[in-house]
Amino acid sequence: MTTLSITLIGHNEAHNLPRALESVQGLADELVYVDCGSSDTSAEVAARYTQHLLHRPNDANLNVNKQVGIEQCTGDWIFYLDPDEVIPSELAREIRAVIESDPPH
């Protein structure tokens, strides 16, 4: 079966993370969060949703931070989500249906 990893990065995103992480509960086979030098409770919030939590300094080039998370993912498909985004339940169902159909690409 095809698997889905979801990864997020964050720097002082404790106020956004609950909504974002709640929206992917039950969707991802793996959830990877990279905390980028937060001074708030972002890491603690993320730890309530995943054990796959990494810490690194915040690089001004956000793509470097994102790549760290992507490299930790083990799923067949990788979905990057910003901490201020949510996946609506209708989209989550559609994503899961496509993945469960074991698509060739």
Side-chain angles (χ1 to χ4, degrees):
M1 182 166 101
T2 304
T3 57
L4 173 66
S5 295
I6 296 179
T7 183
L8 298 90
I9 64 168
H11 174 77
N12 295 333
E13 293 287 349
H15 60 288
N16 283 322
L17 284 173
R19 260 186 92 223
L21 296 172
E22 282 292 329
S23 78
V24 299
Q25 290 302 290
L27 173 61
D29 299 294
E30 172 183 57
L31 179 59
V32 176
Y33 179 75
V34 181
D35 186 75
C36 302
S38 294
S39 59
D40 68 359
T41 61
S42 293
E44 291 85 359
V45 171
R48 292 193 300 243
Y49 296 89
T50 183
Q51 294 180 340
H52 203 150
L53 179 65
L54 298 121
H55 298 271
R56 63 168 281 105
N58 191 24
D59 194 304
N61 180 347
L62 297 181
N63 291 322
V64 171
N65 298 332
K66 291 176 184 180
Q67 189 62 34
V68 168
I70 289 168
E71 289 173 357
Q72 295 298 311
C73 293
T74 62
D76 299 307
W77 285 19
I78 300 171
F79 190 109
Y80 175 79
L81 184 70
D82 281 328
D84 63 345
E85 297 177 322
V86 297
I87 297 180
S89 57
E90 183 176 317
L91 177 58
R93 285 190 299 275
E94 184 176 343
I95 291 169
R96 181 50 57 197
V98 170
I99 289 171
E100 288 176 356
S101 73
D102 204 21
H105 305 293

